[in-house]
Structures are given as C-alpha cells and as structure tokens.
Amino acid sequence: MFWKFDLNNTSHIDQLLDREGVTLRELMEEEDVLQECKAQNRKLLLFLSKDHCMQELVTLITEEPPADLEEKTRFKFPNIACELLTSDVALINDKLGGDESLLEKLYHFLEQEPPLNPLLASFFSKTIGNLIARKTDQVISFLRKKHNFISLVLNHIDASAMMDLLLRLISCVEPAPLRMEVLNWLNEERLIQRLTELMHTGRDEERQSNASQTLCDIIRLSRDQANQLSEVTEPDPLLAVLESQENVAELLKNMFEGERTEASVVNGTQVLLTLLESRRSGLEGLMDLYSQGCERSYTVNSSILCAIEPHLKDFQQLLLNPPTRSAILTTVGVLEQPLGSARLHVARLVASLLQTCDLSICQEICRLNTMDLLLDLFFKYSWNNFLHLQVELCVASILNHSAHADLQNPGLQNHEERPATGTGSQAEEGTPGQNSTSDPLFQHCRLVQRILDAWEENDKNQAEGGRRRGNMGHLTRIANTVVQNLEKGLAHSQMNDLIKELPEDCRGRWESFVGETLRETNRRNTVDLVSTHNLHSSSEDDDMESPFPNDLSIQQAFSDYQIQQMTANFVDQFGFNDEEFSEHDENINAAFDRIAEINFNIDADDHSANAAAFEACCKERIQQFDDCEEEEDIWDEKEINYATQIKSRSRYSTWMICLRKYNLLTKKRVEILSFRPLTFIIIIIFLFFFFAAAGSGSVTGAWEGSPGQKAPLVASDSSSSGGSDSEEDPGEHKTVEHFVKK
C-alpha cells in the first residue's frame, strides 16, 4: 500500500541551502537539482537567480571547459547549466531576459572565431531559443540592436545549432504583428540572399549543406504558417524572395558556376525540389497521379519555372557527365560507375517539373530528350529503386500531360511554334513535328520496344537460373500505365495511332505481351495482394475482366499489406485497441462487450449425433445465485485447497474438451471472425465466471427428462489432477468421460 512508504522525504538540496557558504557547484552535484528546479522549489530558485549564480551558469554554457578534465565529466556542468537555464521557470527567464549584462555575455559567444564547439553551440542555441519564445520583446529588441548578428550567425552556419537559431527566429515569435516585424528585419538583413550565396560551388560542403537545409526549412515553415493563419496578412517577405525569379536564377548560377561538385548540385537541387514541393510524394503521390492525372496538379509560382527552364540543359549535361565517383562494392557486385546522388537528384527534379504540367517545361524536356537518358539509366541501374520510382513518375506524368495539353491547346501542332530557348544546334537535336509530348516517348525513346526487350531478357535470365531484375516491379507498373492510357486515357486515340505506327513485328509482340504475359502478371499480383485482404467487391467485377485491373485498388491493397502492422488486423493487437484496456477500471464489462461481436459459424450437419450432443451441452441450465444453499461471506478468510481449485477449473475444462472433441469428430471447420489468442482467453474467463455462478454443487443437465440416464457433471477426470476428489462420485466421472468420448 502506498501509505506504507514515506513520501515526505525532505530533499537534500534544502539541507544544502540551509548551510552557510553553499556553492552552485555543490548544488549541481545533486542528482535531483533539475527536478527540484522544475518543481518550483522556492529556496532553490531564489539561490539560482542570484547575480553570481546566473553569471556562472551563463559562463558554463559559453566558455570551453578545461581540457585536462576527464572527457565523460568535462561537459557535465555545462549540460546541467543549460538545463537549468531552459527549465522554463519564470523567475530564471525573467532574470536572464531582463539583465542586459547576461545577454551580452551570451552574445559574446558568437564573436568567437569559427569553428565553434558544437556542444556549446547547441547549449547557446537552446538557451537563446528559449528566451525568444518566453521573453520575446526583450530578446528581439536586444538582437536588433546588434547590426552584425546575422553576419555572425552565418559565419558559424557550419554548426547546425546556428541553423536552429535562425529557424527559431522565424517560427517561435508571437504575436503575428511582432513576427512580421522580425521577418521584415531578417529580409532587410538580406538573409535569403546570403544563404543563397553560401550555395556557391567554392564553399565548404558543410556550410553548403546547412545553408541548403535552412532554406528548405524556411520555405516549409513559411508556407505552413501562411496556410494556418486565418486572417488575411501581408505576404511573407522571406518566402517572396525565395520564390522570386532573381533569387532562383542566382541559386542556379551558384550551382553551375565553376567546377560542378556533387555537393553543390545535390544541395541546390534540394532547394529547388522544396520550391516545387507538392506535399504529396512517394506512393501516395504516385497513386494520386495514376488515378486523377493532371487534374490534381499543384500550382507553382511561374517565376520559379521561368528561372529553371534555361538551365534544363545544364541538368541534362549532368546526366551525361556526372561528377566522378569511385567504384563501390554492392550486394550484387562491384559498380564501376555508380549512379551518384547528383544524377538521382536530377531525376527527382525532372519528375517534379513534369508533375507541374507546365507546357513549356514539358516541351523543353522532350526537346532535350531527357527522358531518353533517364530510361537508359533505368535499365542500366536495374537495382536502384530510388531511380526507378522517379522514372516511373516521369512516364506517368508525360502520358497524362499529353491528354491534358491536347485538351487545353487543341491548336498546338508542333514544338517549333514555341520560341526555342537554346541555340540553333540544340534545337536541331530535338524532335520537331511531334503532335504531343508523348510522341517522343513512343518514337524516339522507343518505350514499347524497351519494355518488351527488358522483359524478354529478364525471362531468359531467370530461365537460366539467374535472379529477377530489381526494376521489374516498376517496369510492370510502367507497362500498366501505358495500357491504361491506351484504353481509357483522354488521348487514347492518338496514342493508339502511335502504337499502330510501330513495326509489325513489334506490334505483334506488344499485343501478345499485353494479352498474355502482362495479364498473367497482373492476375498473380492481384490475387497475392487483393485476395489477402478480401478487397474483392461487385463494383470491381468489370475491372477484373480487363487484363489490367484497377491500379488504384492494387496499390491500395499493397499499401494495406505494407501497413498491416499498424492496423487492428495485426495479430499482435488481437483485434483490440489500447483504449479498450484503459477502461477496465471503470467498467468491468468492457472486455466482454467484444464477445458479442464474435461470429461463430459452425459448418456441420444439424441432424448428426455429435451436433445433438453439442446442442444439449450448450443448453445446459446453470444454477442461479439465489439457488446457493448458503450464502458465503466474500470477506471471510477460508482455506483454499487444491480440490476446490480443481472444481472451479473443471467446469470450463470439460467444456473445452467437448468443443475439441466435437470439432475433431465432425472434421468441420469452425470459422470464427477475429478469433485470436486474447479473444480466446477472454472467452475462457467469461465461461469460468459463468459457471462459477452455479456454485460448487452438481449442475442440472439437459438429460433430466431422460429416464435412466444420469445428468453429467462438469468436472475433470482424475488423471488430470493426479488423484480423485473424495467428495465426488466416481460414477459421475465415468458419465462425463462417456459423454466426452461420445
């Protein structure tokens, strides 16, 4: 019981504070100093808020500890000091935020030469960030007086803690008018332009990476806050600069000026991807693209696209001549020329640009034959699924965009009507005279022939004992996308004309592939995924007649299959939610409410002898509580012997023996919906309490009306208990055994 323990122990810290000459270090040696501080220990807070203590705490988090200390204890006191200063106690916040000498001591940390100690930098950033959130007016006013604050922070941007500090200024300032003042101040300090300058190829890679991440986070934070604000406010100045054509052009210039390193390409492309972000990526975005095409395409600031379009040729060049990388050993062998992060990010950028459904961008990508290069990489790097997904998205976007463009621009005849953005020689490399952006995909890129060749090569390789290629799953979905657009797409007639223009042998191979190979693959995939989750419905019957079932239902089945561990169907959860168990203290029937939901479907002959015996057993009458010969006092202490326990257990044990015997003899399947271990245990407990209501005497059976036949007792045989119960008639055990065997 809780009252057996002494919960009124006085903290040792109070005893220390009562002593003369106690030091801050002595208090910080105590394990519960932080807990006492957060618990608003008045004596401790008054001591910590003294001038000399606050000065010492700030010194601990801003000055390097002596190097001769042991490494495991060197940053012990700085860490405790940071936790005390950021414990969100009003008295400490008021003292630290209201004392300009303490703020000056903190600010002096930024004036050190780089690099900063990363651990101390994190302590400093956490402390300043807490003050920005709690003492906003005082801290912002102090920082705005420091004209070199932004310069010092960017000078130490190689420490990720400085990136966190900038984000605190953008996201943690309230109310909205004050936040707008801070944003205007940061914009006046040219924060975005300075971060963009750090993306130059000649900069340190760590600084480039942190600057890129900061820009990406600013974009997301600004957009999220703009969406969350219900009242109409002026636009975010930082986001406006980020999305401006001038700033995007400067970013691209810094990426491609001088030596093109992989770090500069990757970091710069990440910013571009964030600017183009639709907030729907991966499988979710792919399903949305398949099901609704370009109707759900997201709006992108046209200035971003205008700035990117002239540099598409530079990204094309990266696909042809990426930054050099050394060979790497993979699980499938040595890769002499790895794909690299640069080319993967270019593929991601092309996919994002195509999903915008901007006609000018799509035409330029087709003119440069970028898809031809991506398909080459798709088949060359057959084990890079990151690349495969991006190429798949590109193909789906082009096919959907063709229909969209034809509907929006019925008068468009060829690409030559649009002024070329490149040189004359570059224009000659394109494919003029095509009717839509999908034409090069079928004609110049030879998508159909590549699908057929790759599939046949994979079948041959597997027949010879080789393994299935890693891109076959994505190739299957690409093939399904092509067929779906041929059958149901908005531009299916135009695409069918393109198929008819293929060589006769290729056309025959394609028809055979669609009618046999792809049909069988889809059937097998659908059976494996859809039937597992019982997703068949009458509304899908029409789709199942086609060799290409509803891709959305297949992908939904696959998604459900992947996330089954998060659903109530997973065996570890046994069909129950965590909340159901938390209600037991208030409602003892909570666990038994679900029993009514269980569906017992016993497929057996109702006229069989076993069925009659089982029905009789189920109809057995139970004594009511009122029928007990003498009422027991539940609070009386009484001896519980082994025989008593055997009696109570026997009532449900024989029932379970009957159930098992009946199931084995009839050889029928008992189908129980959601009949899992926990449900089974709950049923047993329910039966136990159900029979316990009958008391310890014999139970009147269903055979009372049958002369000469003894009503069976619900009891266990002697073999199960290791001996017989002297209080019970051995003949009754025989009757039970006879009933069970029967």
Side-chain angles (χ1 to χ4, degrees):
M1 296 297 178
F2 68 91
W3 52 80
K4 293 182 180 180
F5 302 96
D6 184 9
L7 299 180
N8 296 317
N9 291 335
T10 303
S11 172
H12 186 55
I13 290 180
D14 290 336
Q15 300 175 11
L16 286 176
L17 291 171
D18 291 335
R19 198 181 69 190
E20 289 289 339
V22 64
T23 64
L24 178 62
R25 295 293 180 108
E26 288 178 308
L27 289 172
M28 295 174 70
E29 288 283 2
E30 296 297 318
E31 293 182 356
D32 58 344
V33 62
L34 183 58
Q35 287 77 7
E36 288 294 314
C37 180
K38 292 183 176 180
Q40 305 285 332
N41 186 318
R42 186 65 180 174
K43 293 170 65 176
L44 177 60
L45 294 182
L46 290 175
F47 181 85
L48 293 177
S49 60
K50 292 181 179 180
D51 291 341
H52 72 278
C53 289
M54 293 297 296
Q55 289 286 342
E56 187 174 356
L57 289 173
V58 173
T59 300
L60 284 170
I61 67 170
T62 56
E63 294 185 5
E64 195 90 17
D68 57 348
L69 295 178
E70 292 186 30
E71 192 63 30
K72 64 179 180 180
T73 60
R74 189 178 177 211
F75 289 95
K76 174 185 176 180
F77 290 118
N79 180 51
I80 297 175
C82 177
E83 293 299 322
L84 290 172
L85 291 173
T86 59
S87 57
D88 202 15
V89 175
L91 189 60
I92 295 179
N93 290 337
D94 293 341
K95 182 66 176 180
L96 186 57
D99 192 333
E100 191 160 337
S101 64
L102 293 175
L103 293 177
E104 288 285 355
K105 194 174 186 66
L106 273 173
Y107 186 80
H108 181 68
F109 178 77
L110 291 174
E111 297 176 343
Q112 302 178 53
E113 290 296 324
L116 297 175
N117 182 292
L119 197 53
L120 292 181
S122 67
F123 295 154
F124 167 82
S125 176
K126 184 176 181 180
T127 304
I128 290 290
N130 179 71
L131 290 176
I132 290 174
R134 302 303 177 192
K135 307 298 292 182
T136 309
D137 291 330
Q138 296 92 322
V139 176
I140 295 299
S141 176
F142 172 80
L143 293 178
R144 293 188 67 173
K145 296 176 184 177
K146 303 295 183 180
H147 300 292
N148 60 344
F149 170 68
I150 298 299
S151 300
L152 291 176
V153 171
L154 296 180
N155 192 38
H156 298 295
I157 198 65
D158 54 323
S160 58
M162 297 300 105
M163 175 179 66
D164 296 336
L165 177 58
L166 287 175
L167 297 178
R168 288 268 188 172
L169 282 171
I170 294 172
S171 61
C172 295
V173 175
E174 295 293 343
L178 181 58
R179 175 180 175 272
M180 188 56 63
E181 289 183 16
V182 173
L183 294 179
N184 288 326
W185 164 52
L186 295 176
N187 188 44
E188 292 170 2
E189 294 289 331
R190 305 184 72 255
L191 174 63
I192 301 302
Q193 292 87 336
R194 292 186 183 185
L195 286 170
T196 303
E197 177 61 29
L198 292 175
M199 304 294 297
H200 196 277
T201 55
R203 299 288 185 176
D204 177 72
E205 291 187 7
E206 192 68 26
R207 297 169 67 83
Q208 283 187 36
S209 177
N210 286 347
S212 171
Q213 188 61 51
T214 304
L215 289 173
C216 294
D217 289 340
I218 291 175
I219 295 170
R220 295 189 179 102
L221 284 172
S222 299
R223 289 177 175 174
D224 287 344
Q225 290 183 341
N227 293 332
Q228 293 171 3
L229 292 177
S230 57
E231 66 274 9
V232 179
T233 60
E234 55 183 304
D236 189 317
L238 299 182
L239 184 60
V241 173
L242 272 165
E243 293 181 339
S244 66
Q245 184 172 347
E246 295 78 9
N247 190 73
V248 177
E250 184 66 22
L251 173 64
L252 289 161
K253 176 185 175 183
N254 293 335
M255 287 172 55
F256 294 110
E257 192 174 63
E259 183 182 0
R260 299 179 183 181
T261 62
E262 185 167 83
S264 63
V265 172
V266 170
N267 293 322
T269 305
Q270 286 177 344
V271 178
L272 296 176
L273 288 170
T274 308
L275 288 170
L276 298 171
E277 200 169 69
S278 65
R279 301 305 177 94
R280 302 181 68 84
S281 59
L283 181 62
E284 183 184 6
L286 181 61
M287 292 171 59
D288 182 68
L289 183 63
Y290 278 160
S291 60
Q292 302 187 28
C294 288
E295 296 177 5
R296 291 290 301 275
S297 62
Y298 52 97
T299 303
V300 176
N301 195 320
S302 59
S303 60
I304 301 173
L305 300 176
C306 291
I308 293 177
E309 185 175 348
H311 289 273
L312 287 175
K313 61 181 183 299
D314 296 317
F315 290 106
Q316 172 94 345
Q317 195 62 30
L318 282 172
L319 294 176
L320 294 170
N321 299 305
T324 57
R325 290 179 57 118
S326 57
I328 60 174
L329 179 63
T330 69
T331 55
V332 292
V334 177
L335 199 57
E336 295 294 341
Q337 187 181 9
L339 176 70
S341 296
R343 287 196 286 187
L344 178 60
H345 276 74
V346 172
R348 292 180 59 195
L349 179 63
V350 173
S352 295
L353 289 171
L354 288 172
Q355 289 180 53
T356 63
C357 289
D358 182 81
L359 183 60
S360 179
I361 289 288
C362 293
Q363 289 178 341
E364 181 66 10
I365 290 175
C366 290
R367 188 189 68 81
L368 292 170
N369 297 326
T370 305
M371 276 307 303
D372 194 28
L373 292 176
L374 290 177
L375 286 170
D376 288 340
L377 297 175
F378 178 90
F379 293 108
K380 179 179 180 180
Y381 297 95
S382 60
W383 298 101
N384 194 319
N385 290 155
F386 297 103
L387 172 66
H388 303 158
L389 175 61
Q390 302 308 320
V391 176
E392 181 185 349
L393 290 171
C394 290
V395 172
S397 297
I398 290 177
L399 294 178
N400 289 320
H401 175 263
S402 298
H404 181 75
D406 291 341
L407 290 177
Q408 299 295 328
N409 303 278
L412 182 63
Q413 296 297 323
N414 55 57
H415 297 306
E416 292 179 338
E417 293 185 22
R418 174 187 172 276
T421 58
T423 62
S425 59
Q426 290 171 334
E428 293 174 1
E429 295 174 0
T431 54
Q434 307 302 331
N435 292 327
S436 74
T437 54
S438 64
D439 294 10
L441 198 59
F442 288 97
Q443 296 179 347
H444 184 79
C445 298
R446 303 176 63 252
L447 177 62
V448 171
Q449 292 91 324
R450 291 195 191 202
I451 293 174
L452 296 173
D453 293 343
W455 206 287
E456 292 170 0
E457 290 177 10
N458 178 74
D459 289 345
K460 180 181 178 182
N461 186 48
Q462 286 189 285
E464 296 173 352
R467 66 175 63 185
R468 185 173 182 261
R469 291 185 176 179
N471 57 3
M472 292 305 296
H474 289 282
L475 191 64
T476 302
R477 298 205 295 197
I478 290 176
N480 280 325
T481 303
V482 173
V483 175
Q484 287 174 6
N485 279 273
L486 287 171
E487 291 183 348
K488 304 176 182 178
L490 296 175
H492 65 278
S493 59
Q494 176 191 356
M495 294 177 63
N496 276 285
D497 292 340
L498 293 174
I499 294 295
K500 293 177 182 178
E501 295 177 4
L502 297 175
E504 186 175 351
D505 60 331
C506 179
R507 206 164 54 246
R509 289 167 59 201
W510 173 253
E511 293 174 357
S512 175
F513 169 77
V514 170
E516 299 175 6
T517 307
L518 192 57
R519 176 193 291 269
E520 175 61 21
T521 301
N522 287 332
R523 186 198 65 79
R524 185 170 59 251
N525 292 341
T526 305
V527 169
D528 291 343
L529 297 176
V530 180
S531 64
T532 304
H533 297 272
N534 196 22
L535 293 179
H536 294 294
S537 62
S538 59
S539 62
E540 295 176 353
D541 289 343
D542 294 338
D543 291 333
M544 295 301 291
E545 295 177 1
S546 170
F548 311 99
N550 191 319
D551 260 332
L552 188 59
S553 61
I554 296 177
Q555 292 156 7
Q556 185 62 49
F558 183 60
S559 178
D560 291 344
Y561 177 76
Q562 286 183 314
I563 64 173
Q564 60 178 325
Q565 294 179 343
M566 306 300 292
T567 66
N569 294 327
F570 188 58
V571 68
D572 284 351
Q573 296 176 349
F574 306 113
F576 290 87
N577 296 322
D578 293 339
E579 291 77 6
E580 298 180 44
F581 296 97
S582 63
E583 298 175 358
H584 289 184
D585 293 338
E586 301 176 1
N587 181 11
I588 62 174
N589 295 321
F592 300 101
D593 292 340
R594 292 292 299 275
I595 295 179
E597 301 175 10
I598 301 175
N599 178 26
F600 291 88
N601 181 16
I602 302 177
D603 187 11
D605 187 2
D606 294 338
H607 302 290
S608 65
N610 292 314
F614 187 77
E615 285 294 327
C617 187
C618 292
K619 294 178 181 179
E620 183 179 6
R621 293 196 299 273
I622 305 300
Q623 285 184 336
Q624 302 299 321
F625 287 103
D626 300 337
D627 297 336
C628 295
E629 295 180 0
E630 58 183 39
E631 186 175 354
E632 295 182 0
D633 187 354
I634 62 174
W635 300 107
D636 284 349
E637 295 186 0
K638 51 183 176 292
E639 181 182 359
I640 300 177
N641 55 34
Y642 185 69
T644 305
Q645 296 180 9
I646 293 298
K647 283 185 179 181
S648 61
R649 289 201 304 267
S650 65
R651 290 180 172 83
Y652 70 84
S653 62
T654 302
W655 270 85
M656 299 316 300
I657 293 173
C658 293
L659 285 171
R660 290 197 296 270
K661 289 285 186 179
Y662 178 74
N663 193 30
L664 290 174
L665 290 173
T666 58
K667 295 182 180 180
K668 298 293 184 178
R669 178 185 179 190
V670 179
E671 296 182 354
I672 301 177
L673 181 62
S674 300
F675 197 86
R676 298 191 175 87
L678 185 58
T679 309
F680 184 70
I681 293 172
I682 293 176
I683 292 176
I684 291 178
I685 297 173
F686 176 78
L687 292 175
F688 171 75
F689 284 107
F690 191 64
F691 285 107
S696 59
S698 62
V699 182
T700 303
W703 287 267
E704 281 185 325
S706 302
Q709 189 173 8
K710 192 169 185 178
L713 285 176
V714 182
S716 61
D717 56 28
S718 59
S719 62
S720 65
S721 61
S724 61
D725 191 347
S726 60
E727 298 179 4
E728 297 182 5
D729 186 358
E732 292 176 347
H733 287 286
K734 181 177 180 181
T735 304
V736 173
E737 291 179 0
H738 177 70
F739 166 72
V740 172
K741 291 179 181 178
K742 199 170 181 181

